[in-house]
Amino acid sequence: QLRKRAPFAYIHASKMMLARLSRTIAQRARPLTARTFAAPAPKMFDYDTIVKSLSVADAIETVEDAFCKLAEGKVDVPMPMHITIDETDSAGPGDCHVKGGYVSGAATWTVKVASVSFYKSGGPPGGGVFVVMNAVTGQPCGIFQENRFMTDLRTGAAGGIALKHFGKGDTIGFIGCGAIGRVMARAAKAVQPDFKGVCYAPDGSHETFAAEMSAELGVPFTAMSSAEEMCGASDVIYTQTPGSTTCVEKSWLKPHATIICSGSDQPTKQEIPTDILKASKYVSDLTKQTSKVGELRSAIADGSMTEADVYAEIGEVCNGSKPGREGDEL
């Protein structure tokens, strides 16, 4: 039979239960200690060490092998994450990309954070780090303060591979003469040592680019007065502009021209008009990305192309699944 208790009795009982519970927890609890790991600290590589140790020629073979494995379905590459740093009194403008991937069977995987277009700072326009992770333990094993140097090497290596499989002719043009233009020129030298270079930059830097690249690479470079003049002289054209406006026109091109474009790395950017894309043998590095953040995006948006119009991903050409250049096609 239940008996009624006064309210203070319930309060007293609750206090006793809480006190007992507190004593039990205190008796069973272990002292707080810092969590320790057996894994060693990651190795740190500074910018100067990286620059002294690597060149775009070092990257070409490795990147081509990665393209082959990508085409075979052996690479996990998620869509890039983009962060826009809008311009305010205290920050920006700028863009951040977070990218990564893993090649099946490799001992490591890598995640990269790169920032670009921070021109207002007065210093370098961006920076970046690579974090290399151990694929067995899941622990970081290397951190590379590359400040976009390795990013640019990878981009340049891809440009060299495209030249290898699709280029025709000995005159190579460069629209945009910044850091990416320079690494593309070095990649072209590694693949096709005896080319003739022509260049144009909307910001007027082509005169300096021509002089410095000619001296560095030992091949002749000519600064042109306009993008149209440069395109008319070029068999192969590298475009590496900010991508805010298109930089070539179809009527400027030789019929067999090869265009290797690297400037459209955001959904708002476009270097190549869609009529050129539609008329070309279009090859992507990764169609699922270029359809969202690359040149293909603009052609899909205006109805000029679909993903089915993509001739190949470059890895399919690298591994021999599909031929590269076959004649005088654009």
Side-chain angles (χ1 to χ4, degrees):
Q1 184 176 357
L2 296 177
R3 293 182 294 175
K4 291 183 180 181
R5 295 188 179 181
F8 73 87
Y10 289 107
I11 295 172
H12 179 69
S14 298
K15 289 182 177 179
M16 292 180 62
M17 292 173 64
L18 287 172
R20 182 176 296 176
L21 182 60
S22 298
R23 287 194 298 271
T24 302
I25 291 172
Q27 291 168 359
R28 295 180 179 177
R30 296 179 179 178
L32 293 175
T33 58
R35 179 178 289 185
T36 58
F37 296 100
K43 294 182 179 179
M44 307 292 290
F45 297 88
D46 63 23
Y47 178 77
D48 289 339
T49 299
I50 294 166
V51 170
K52 292 175 183 176
S53 302
L54 295 175
S55 71
V56 68
D58 298 322
I60 289 175
E61 182 178 352
T62 301
V63 172
E64 185 162 15
D65 181 64
F67 277 137
C68 290
K69 288 184 169 59
L70 179 63
E72 295 163 5
K74 296 181 179 179
V75 181
D76 183 16
V77 184
M79 290 293 292
M81 181 172 72
H82 298 281
I83 303 172
T84 298
I85 315 301
D86 62 312
E87 184 171 9
T88 64
D89 291 340
S90 58
D95 298 309
C96 174
H97 311 157
V98 181
K99 302 176 181 178
Y102 175 65
V103 178
S104 179
T108 61
W109 84 88
T110 301
V111 175
K112 176 193 77 172
V113 178
S115 59
V116 297
S117 303
F118 284 82
Y119 299 110
K120 194 173 76 172
S121 68
V129 294
F130 279 44
V131 180
V132 179
M133 305 290 292
N134 188 303
V136 176
T137 66
Q139 301 299 320
C141 52
I143 298 175
F144 294 75
Q145 185 191 1
E146 50 92 42
N147 289 339
R148 295 181 59 202
F149 180 79
M150 292 168 66
T151 291
D152 293 349
L153 288 190
R154 181 218 58 195
T155 302
I161 294 161
L163 175 64
K164 171 183 173 181
H165 291 283
F166 300 100
K168 180 179 182 177
D170 62 357
T171 301
I172 300 178
F174 301 83
I175 299 183
C177 297
I180 297 296
R182 291 168 185 272
V183 78
M184 289 296 186
R186 294 170 187 135
K189 173 70 175 181
V191 171
Q192 188 174 321
D194 297 323
F195 74 91
K196 294 181 290 186
V198 293
C199 58
Y200 174 76
D203 65 1
S205 60
H206 44 291
E207 296 279 357
T208 300
F209 179 89
E212 293 180 353
M213 288 294 97
S214 181
E216 177 183 332
L217 302 179
V219 297
F221 272 80
T222 302
M224 309 300 270
S225 62
S226 67
E228 181 176 0
E229 182 187 24
M230 195 222 74
C231 288
S234 301
D235 301 300
V236 177
I237 300 168
Y238 285 97
T239 65
Q240 47 280 323
T241 69
S244 55
T245 59
T246 57
C247 60
V248 299
E249 297 292 339
K250 189 170 181 289
S251 61
W252 301 349
L253 305 175
K254 291 184 178 182
H256 65 271
T258 300
I259 303 175
I260 302 169
C261 44
S262 62
S264 295
D265 56 2
Q266 293 277 5
T268 57
K269 296 181 180 181
Q270 179 185 356
E271 289 190 304
I272 311 302
T274 58
D275 64 333
I276 295 179
L277 300 176
K278 182 178 180 180
S280 71
K281 176 188 278 187
Y282 181 86
V283 179
S284 71
D285 50 1
L286 187 59
T287 300
K288 74 175 185 179
Q289 288 191 10
T290 60
S291 63
K292 302 295 189 298
V293 297
E295 296 296 336
L296 182 59
R297 174 202 60 79
S298 56
I300 290 175
D302 73 5
S304 300
M305 295 176 67
T306 69
E307 289 190 23
D309 294 315
V310 175
Y311 168 71
E313 292 186 347
I314 194 169
E316 297 177 281
V317 177
C318 293
N319 69 16
S321 299
K322 292 185 178 181
R325 174 170 288 281
E326 299 173 276
D328 290 332
E329 70 271 32
L330 177 63

